[in-house]
Amino acid sequence: MTWQVGSSSYEGDGKLAGNLLTVDWGSSTPVVYALKPDGSLAGLWDAGKGEETLTPEE
């Protein structure tokens, strides 16, 4: 999968199990996202030190 954030692009491999998407971006720990009913992803990264919400493009 590829994510575009502003002018930066990120690529990684992910696995979906239930509503959890675990993505290996190549860092020391994966990002773990919870898939929400609206299609957004609530994620924890850097072993839980950071969090983000990704929303579908409209």
Side-chain angles (χ1 to χ4, degrees):
M1 64 184 53
T2 302
W3 249 257
Q4 185 75 31
V5 180
S7 62
S8 299
S9 180
Y10 303 91
E11 294 185 23
D13 295 318
K15 290 187 179 188
L16 183 62
N19 74 327
L20 292 180
L21 175 63
T22 303
V23 181
D24 179 359
W25 296 107
S27 62
S28 59
T29 59
V31 181
V32 179
Y33 296 100
L35 177 60
K36 303 295 183 175
D38 66 357
S40 66
L41 296 170
L44 296 175
W45 47 272
D46 196 15
K49 296 178 185 171
E51 62 183 80
E52 65 186 343
T53 299
L54 307 174
T55 55
E57 189 173 37
E58 293 191 23

